[in-house]
Amino acid sequence: MDFNEGEIIYIDKPLHWTSFDVVKRIRLRILRRLKQKKLKVGHAGTLDPLATGVMIVCTGRATKRIEEFQYHTKEYIATLRLGATTPSFDLETEVDATYPHEHITREIIERTLPRFVGSIMQIPPSYSACKIDGRRAYDMARKGQEVELKPKELVINEIELLDCELPEIRIRVVCSKGTYIRALARDIGVALGSGAHLVGLVRTRVGDVTLADCLSVDEVARLIDEAPIETTEPEDKKEKEENKSI
Protein backbone atom coordinates (compact mmCIF):
# COMPACT_ATOMS: atom_id res chain seq x y z
CA MET A 1 0.00 0.00 0.00
CA ASP A 2 1.18 3.51 -0.73
CA PHE A 3 -0.48 5.93 1.69
CA ASN A 4 1.38 8.96 0.32
CA GLU A 5 0.46 8.30 -3.30
CA GLY A 6 -3.05 7.70 -1.99
CA GLU A 7 -5.26 4.95 -0.63
CA ILE A 8 -9.05 4.89 -0.38
CA ILE A 9 -10.34 2.98 2.64
CA TYR A 10 -13.93 1.95 3.26
CA ILE A 11 -14.83 1.87 6.96
CA ASP A 12 -17.88 0.90 8.98
CA LYS A 13 -17.87 3.79 11.46
CA PRO A 14 -18.40 2.64 15.05
CA LEU A 15 -21.22 3.96 17.21
CA HIS A 16 -20.32 6.98 19.38
CA TRP A 17 -17.18 7.79 17.34
CA THR A 18 -17.05 11.13 15.54
CA SER A 19 -15.89 11.15 11.94
CA PHE A 20 -12.82 13.07 13.14
CA ASP A 21 -12.07 10.27 15.64
CA VAL A 22 -11.88 7.79 12.76
CA VAL A 23 -9.62 10.01 10.65
CA LYS A 24 -7.34 10.75 13.60
CA ARG A 25 -7.00 7.07 14.50
CA ILE A 26 -6.10 6.11 10.93
CA ARG A 27 -3.69 9.00 10.44
CA LEU A 28 -1.76 8.22 13.63
CA ARG A 29 -1.58 4.53 12.75
CA ILE A 30 -0.22 5.23 9.28
CA LEU A 31 2.29 7.81 10.50
CA ARG A 32 3.60 5.35 13.06
CA ARG A 33 3.98 2.69 10.38
CA LEU A 34 5.64 5.03 7.87
CA LYS A 35 7.69 6.87 10.51
CA GLN A 36 6.52 10.20 9.09
CA LYS A 37 5.39 13.34 10.85
CA LYS A 38 2.72 14.46 8.38
CA LEU A 39 0.16 12.87 6.07
CA LYS A 40 -3.05 14.16 4.54
CA VAL A 41 -6.02 12.06 5.63
CA GLY A 42 -9.67 13.07 5.21
CA HIS A 43 -13.16 11.66 4.99
CA ALA A 44 -15.78 12.08 2.26
CA GLY A 45 -18.87 12.87 4.33
CA THR A 46 -19.53 13.31 8.04
CA LEU A 47 -21.50 10.76 10.04
CA ASP A 48 -22.97 11.82 13.39
CA PRO A 49 -21.53 10.12 16.50
CA LEU A 50 -24.82 8.25 16.99
CA ALA A 51 -24.74 6.90 13.42
CA THR A 52 -22.80 3.96 12.03
CA GLY A 53 -22.04 2.74 8.55
CA VAL A 54 -20.17 3.50 5.36
CA MET A 55 -17.43 6.10 5.68
CA ILE A 56 -14.86 6.71 2.93
CA VAL A 57 -11.40 7.78 4.11
CA CYS A 58 -8.74 9.01 1.69
CA THR A 59 -5.01 9.37 2.28
CA GLY A 60 -2.22 11.30 0.59
CA ARG A 61 -2.91 12.40 -2.96
CA ALA A 62 -6.22 10.51 -2.96
CA THR A 63 -7.64 13.27 -0.72
CA LYS A 64 -8.10 15.19 -3.98
CA ARG A 65 -10.99 12.81 -4.71
CA ILE A 66 -12.91 13.64 -1.53
CA GLU A 67 -15.22 16.15 -3.23
CA GLU A 68 -16.00 13.58 -5.93
CA PHE A 69 -17.11 11.04 -3.31
CA GLN A 70 -19.11 13.66 -1.40
CA TYR A 71 -21.43 14.11 -4.38
CA HIS A 72 -22.27 10.43 -4.62
CA THR A 73 -25.81 9.36 -3.71
CA LYS A 74 -26.15 7.95 -0.19
CA GLU A 75 -28.48 5.35 1.31
CA TYR A 76 -29.53 5.19 4.96
CA ILE A 77 -31.63 2.96 7.19
CA ALA A 78 -33.21 5.17 9.86
CA THR A 79 -35.29 4.33 12.91
CA LEU A 80 -37.70 7.06 14.04
CA ARG A 81 -39.66 7.28 17.27
CA LEU A 82 -42.96 9.11 16.83
CA GLY A 83 -44.70 11.21 19.46
CA ALA A 84 -41.68 13.03 20.91
CA THR A 85 -39.00 15.51 19.84
CA THR A 86 -35.53 16.44 21.06
CA PRO A 87 -33.56 19.65 20.39
CA SER A 88 -30.94 17.70 18.40
CA PHE A 89 -33.58 15.61 16.58
CA ASP A 90 -31.84 12.45 17.85
CA LEU A 91 -30.75 10.86 21.14
CA GLU A 92 -27.91 13.32 21.82
CA THR A 93 -30.35 15.45 23.82
CA GLU A 94 -33.31 14.67 26.07
CA VAL A 95 -36.95 14.76 24.96
CA ASP A 96 -38.23 18.34 25.09
CA ALA A 97 -41.86 17.79 23.99
CA THR A 98 -44.36 14.99 23.49
CA TYR A 99 -47.24 14.79 21.01
CA PRO A 100 -50.22 12.55 20.33
CA HIS A 101 -49.41 9.68 17.98
CA GLU A 102 -52.37 7.34 18.48
CA HIS A 103 -53.96 8.62 15.28
CA ILE A 104 -51.01 7.46 13.16
CA THR A 105 -51.38 4.18 11.26
CA ARG A 106 -49.18 2.33 8.79
CA GLU A 107 -51.49 3.44 5.99
CA ILE A 108 -51.13 7.11 6.97
CA ILE A 109 -47.35 6.77 7.07
CA GLU A 110 -47.26 5.10 3.64
CA ARG A 111 -49.35 7.95 2.21
CA THR A 112 -47.16 10.60 3.85
CA LEU A 113 -43.64 9.45 3.01
CA PRO A 114 -43.91 9.98 -0.79
CA ARG A 115 -44.38 13.73 -0.14
CA PHE A 116 -40.67 13.90 0.63
CA VAL A 117 -39.49 12.33 -2.63
CA GLY A 118 -37.92 14.73 -5.11
CA SER A 119 -36.33 18.14 -4.70
CA ILE A 120 -37.17 19.55 -1.25
CA MET A 121 -36.10 22.41 0.98
CA GLN A 122 -34.75 21.36 4.38
CA ILE A 123 -33.71 23.44 7.39
CA PRO A 124 -30.58 21.83 8.88
CA PRO A 125 -30.58 20.91 12.59
CA SER A 126 -29.30 23.48 15.07
CA TYR A 127 -27.02 20.71 16.33
CA SER A 128 -25.09 20.47 13.06
CA ALA A 129 -21.72 21.42 11.61
CA CYS A 130 -23.24 24.26 9.55
CA LYS A 131 -21.47 27.56 10.10
CA ILE A 132 -22.98 30.87 11.19
CA ASP A 133 -20.54 33.77 10.92
CA GLY A 134 -17.67 31.30 11.14
CA ARG A 135 -19.04 29.45 14.17
CA ARG A 136 -20.35 25.88 14.17
CA ALA A 137 -24.08 25.72 14.80
CA TYR A 138 -23.70 22.85 17.28
CA ASP A 139 -21.28 24.89 19.41
CA MET A 140 -23.85 27.67 19.65
CA ALA A 141 -26.75 25.28 20.29
CA ARG A 142 -24.90 23.47 23.08
CA LYS A 143 -24.30 26.81 24.78
CA GLY A 144 -28.01 27.60 24.63
CA GLN A 145 -27.54 30.33 22.01
CA GLU A 146 -30.16 30.96 19.35
CA VAL A 147 -29.41 29.28 16.03
CA GLU A 148 -31.13 30.31 12.82
CA LEU A 149 -30.24 28.33 9.70
CA LYS A 150 -31.54 28.89 6.19
CA PRO A 151 -33.33 26.12 4.24
CA LYS A 152 -31.19 24.21 1.76
CA GLU A 153 -32.31 22.44 -1.39
CA LEU A 154 -31.61 18.72 -1.62
CA VAL A 155 -32.95 15.64 -3.34
CA ILE A 156 -34.62 12.58 -1.84
CA ASN A 157 -34.44 9.90 -4.54
CA GLU A 158 -36.27 7.17 -2.66
CA ILE A 159 -38.00 6.71 0.69
CA GLU A 160 -39.47 3.39 1.79
CA LEU A 161 -41.19 2.17 4.94
CA LEU A 162 -39.44 -1.03 6.07
CA ASP A 163 -40.98 -1.69 9.49
CA CYS A 164 -43.84 -0.19 11.47
CA GLU A 165 -43.94 -1.07 15.17
CA LEU A 166 -45.57 2.10 16.45
CA PRO A 167 -44.46 4.38 17.93
CA GLU A 168 -41.27 3.39 16.07
CA ILE A 169 -40.84 3.09 12.32
CA ARG A 170 -37.86 2.10 10.20
CA ILE A 171 -37.31 3.67 6.79
CA ARG A 172 -34.83 3.42 3.92
CA VAL A 173 -33.75 6.73 2.40
CA VAL A 174 -31.70 7.32 -0.76
CA CYS A 175 -30.65 10.95 -0.97
CA SER A 176 -28.22 13.58 -2.18
CA LYS A 177 -25.29 15.28 -0.50
CA GLY A 178 -26.28 17.61 2.33
CA THR A 179 -29.30 15.66 3.56
CA TYR A 180 -29.76 15.56 7.32
CA ILE A 181 -31.71 12.42 8.19
CA ARG A 182 -32.34 13.90 11.65
CA ALA A 183 -34.06 16.87 10.03
CA LEU A 184 -36.02 14.51 7.78
CA ALA A 185 -37.23 12.71 10.92
CA ARG A 186 -38.38 16.05 12.34
CA ASP A 187 -40.25 16.92 9.15
CA ILE A 188 -41.89 13.49 8.90
CA GLY A 189 -43.15 13.90 12.45
CA VAL A 190 -44.69 17.26 11.59
CA ALA A 191 -46.26 15.86 8.41
CA LEU A 192 -47.86 13.10 10.48
CA GLY A 193 -49.40 15.66 12.84
CA SER A 194 -47.09 14.64 15.67
CA GLY A 195 -43.41 14.81 16.52
CA ALA A 196 -40.49 12.49 15.79
CA HIS A 197 -36.82 12.04 16.45
CA LEU A 198 -34.11 9.70 15.26
CA VAL A 199 -33.18 6.75 17.49
CA GLY A 200 -30.98 4.81 15.06
CA LEU A 201 -29.12 5.50 11.82
CA VAL A 202 -26.95 3.39 9.53
CA ARG A 203 -25.43 4.64 6.28
CA THR A 204 -25.62 1.55 4.10
CA ARG A 205 -24.22 2.91 0.85
CA VAL A 206 -22.19 5.76 -0.66
CA GLY A 207 -22.28 5.57 -4.46
CA ASP A 208 -21.44 1.93 -5.23
CA VAL A 209 -19.73 1.34 -1.87
CA THR A 210 -21.85 -0.74 0.52
CA LEU A 211 -21.43 -2.00 4.07
CA ALA A 212 -20.22 -5.31 2.63
CA ASP A 213 -17.18 -3.44 1.24
CA CYS A 214 -16.28 -1.88 4.59
CA LEU A 215 -13.79 -2.85 7.27
CA SER A 216 -14.02 -2.24 10.99
CA VAL A 217 -11.60 0.24 12.56
CA ASP A 218 -9.66 -2.67 14.09
CA GLU A 219 -9.44 -4.43 10.71
CA VAL A 220 -8.10 -1.24 9.13
CA ALA A 221 -5.52 -0.97 11.90
CA ARG A 222 -4.33 -4.53 11.20
CA LEU A 223 -4.27 -3.80 7.46
CA ILE A 224 -2.03 -0.78 8.05
CA ASP A 225 0.28 -2.75 10.34
CA GLU A 226 0.58 -5.82 8.10
CA ALA A 227 0.25 -4.68 4.47
CA PRO A 228 3.38 -4.29 2.31
CA ILE A 229 4.26 -0.59 2.24
CA GLU A 230 5.53 1.43 -0.72
CA THR A 231 7.40 4.66 -0.09
CA THR A 232 6.37 7.45 -2.44
CA GLU A 233 7.50 10.87 -1.19
CA PRO A 234 4.91 12.69 0.96
CA GLU A 235 2.96 15.26 -1.10
CA ASP A 236 4.12 18.25 0.96
CA LYS A 237 7.76 17.26 0.48
CA LYS A 238 7.25 16.74 -3.27
CA GLU A 239 5.59 20.16 -3.57
CA LYS A 240 8.55 21.81 -1.80
CA GLU A 241 11.02 20.15 -4.17
CA GLU A 242 8.95 21.22 -7.20
CA ASN A 243 8.82 24.82 -5.93
CA LYS A 244 12.60 24.88 -5.52
CA SER A 245 13.07 23.86 -9.16
CA ILE A 246 10.88 26.66 -10.52
Side-chain angles (χ1 to χ4, degrees), residues 121-156:
M121 299 300 292
Q122 183 185 81
I123 300 175
S126 298
Y127 287 74
S128 68
C130 294
K131 287 188 176 182
I132 302 174
D133 297 328
R135 300 175 64 193
R136 295 290 185 187
Y138 58 69
D139 286 333
M140 299 173 65
R142 287 168 183 157
K143 292 176 182 177
Q145 298 174 358
E146 186 175 345
V147 176
E148 187 174 346
L149 295 169
K150 296 180 180 179
K152 294 184 178 181
E153 186 174 6
L154 52 92
V155 176
I156 304 292

Side-chain angles (χ1 to χ4, degrees), residues 15 18 25 42 54 94 107 127 148 153 221 223:
L15 186 66
T18 66
R25 169 85 174 264
V54 179
E94 298 293 327
E107 290 70 28
Y127 287 74
E148 187 174 346
E153 186 174 6
L223 178 67

Side-chain angles (χ1 to χ4, degrees), residues 73-229:
T73 299
K74 300 172 179 66
E75 179 185 74
Y76 296 88
I77 302 296
T79 304
L80 284 61
R81 184 170 297 149
L82 306 178
T85 58
T86 71
S88 59
F89 309 153
D90 65 6
L91 294 177
E92 180 183 341
T93 53
E94 298 293 327
V95 170
D96 61 352
T98 58
Y99 302 84
H101 61 82
E102 293 77 13
H103 65 283
I104 301 172
T105 64
R106 184 185 187 102
E107 290 70 28
I108 290 173
I109 295 167
E110 289 178 335
R111 288 201 305 267
T112 301
L113 292 181
R115 299 183 199 172
F116 294 93
V117 176
S119 179
I120 66 171
M121 299 300 292
Q122 183 185 81
I123 300 175
S126 298
Y127 287 74
S128 68
C130 294
K131 287 188 176 182
I132 302 174
D133 297 328
R135 300 175 64 193
R136 295 290 185 187
Y138 58 69
D139 286 333
M140 299 173 65
R142 287 168 183 157
K143 292 176 182 177
Q145 298 174 358
E146 186 175 345
V147 176
E148 187 174 346
L149 295 169
K150 296 180 180 179
K152 294 184 178 181
E153 186 174 6
L154 52 92
V155 176
I156 304 292
N157 302 91
E158 300 176 42
I159 187 165
E160 175 188 7
L161 180 64
L162 299 178
D163 292 304
C164 184
E165 296 290 340
L166 296 170
E168 290 192 0
I169 63 173
R170 194 162 65 98
I171 61 175
R172 182 181 68 91
V173 180
V174 179
C175 57
S176 68
K177 175 183 183 290
T179 304
Y180 283 92
I181 305 299
R182 287 181 288 138
L184 181 62
R186 169 203 61 197
D187 296 340
I188 289 172
V190 172
L192 291 170
S194 182
H197 62 285
L198 202 61
V199 296
L201 183 65
V202 182
R203 185 155 69 194
T204 51
R205 181 171 61 82
V206 176
D208 294 327
V209 180
T210 69
L211 274 173
D213 302 311
C214 294
L215 301 174
S216 69
V217 171
D218 288 340
E219 287 172 330
V220 172
R222 286 196 295 272
L223 178 67
I224 293 168
D225 292 344
E226 298 171 3
I229 297 296

